[in-house]
């Protein structure tokens, strides 16, 4: 019997799935590298860091209209980052919407485009961090 996917697991925990048909491999990087993605930049000497997103902003209305209030996003960022340096987070958010060219009319921004760029950047940081970790493991203990 030929299998289309291979699961690599230990103690009922999946670490890796390899789809032999499409040659796609999915790793549970958190099981391998138990740290938040926003810590990858410093830990792996990456040029980029973790972006900021107002998670609670996203609801059915925002998805339908694509746009959201900049003021509302800032309010949410303050609440979500109360224990951290939220002024820096808000500056980063404002810089991002300007840099990414997604400011709308009447104090709005394209929230779906923001989310798309955020996720793409998040995946890039995760991939670069994982590749750095993987190379280190290959050099130190000769495993892949």
């Amino acid at each position: 019997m030929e299998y289309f996917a291979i699961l690599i697991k230990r103690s009922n925990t999946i670490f890796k799935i390899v789809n032999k048909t499409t040659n796609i491999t999915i790793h549970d990087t958190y099981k391998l590298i138990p740290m938040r993605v926003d810590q990858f930049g410093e830990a792996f000497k990456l040029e980029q860091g973790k972006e900021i997103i107002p998670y609670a902003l996203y609801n059915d209305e925002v998805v339908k209209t694509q746009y959201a209030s900049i003021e509302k996003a800032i309010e949410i960022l303050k609440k979500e980052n109360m224990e951290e340096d939220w002024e820096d987070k808000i500056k980063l958010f404002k810089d991002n919407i300007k840099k990414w060219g997604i400011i709308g009319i009447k104090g709005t921004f394209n929230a779906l485009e923001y989310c798309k760029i955020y996720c793409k950047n998040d995946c890039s940081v995760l991939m670069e961090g994982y590749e750095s970790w993987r190379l280190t493991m290959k050099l130190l203990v000769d495993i892949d």
Side-chain angles (χ1 to χ4, degrees), residues 101-114:
I102 57 174
I103 297 174
I105 57 171
K106 297 182 181 176
T108 64
F109 73 105
N110 188 327
L112 290 189
E113 189 63 23
Y114 189 97

Side-chain angles (χ1 to χ4, degrees), residues 23-124:
N23 199 27
I24 293 174
T25 302
I26 300 170
H27 295 268
D28 184 345
T29 55
Y30 192 74
K31 293 276 191 301
L32 299 169
I33 312 166
M35 67 172 58
R36 298 185 327 248
V37 176
D38 65 352
Q39 298 171 324
F40 274 38
E42 184 178 343
F44 298 112
K45 309 291 187 264
L46 304 177
E47 288 189 26
Q48 72 251 53
K50 180 83 167 66
E51 295 292 347
I52 186 75
I53 190 165
Y55 293 104
L57 178 75
Y58 292 87
N59 57 33
D60 291 342
E61 181 184 338
V62 169
V63 171
K64 187 189 297 183
T65 64
Q66 295 187 9
Y67 284 82
S69 161
I70 294 171
E71 187 177 312
K72 179 72 173 172
I74 290 170
E75 183 182 308
I76 289 169
L77 285 171
K78 284 180 185 177
K79 287 180 186 172
E80 290 177 346
N81 296 283
M82 288 178 76
E83 296 175 11
E84 299 176 38
D85 191 6
W86 59 265
E87 290 96 350
D88 289 344
K89 307 270 184 186
I90 293 185
K91 182 182 179 330
L92 177 61
F93 171 75
K94 287 179 176 179
D95 290 347
N96 283 347
I97 61 175
K98 185 176 181 182
K99 176 176 62 178
W100 298 340
I102 57 174
I103 297 174
I105 57 171
K106 297 182 181 176
T108 64
F109 73 105
N110 188 327
L112 290 189
E113 189 63 23
Y114 189 97
C115 187
K116 177 182 164 185
I117 296 168
Y118 169 86
C119 289
K120 184 177 177 182
N121 289 344
D122 213 39
C123 288
S124 293

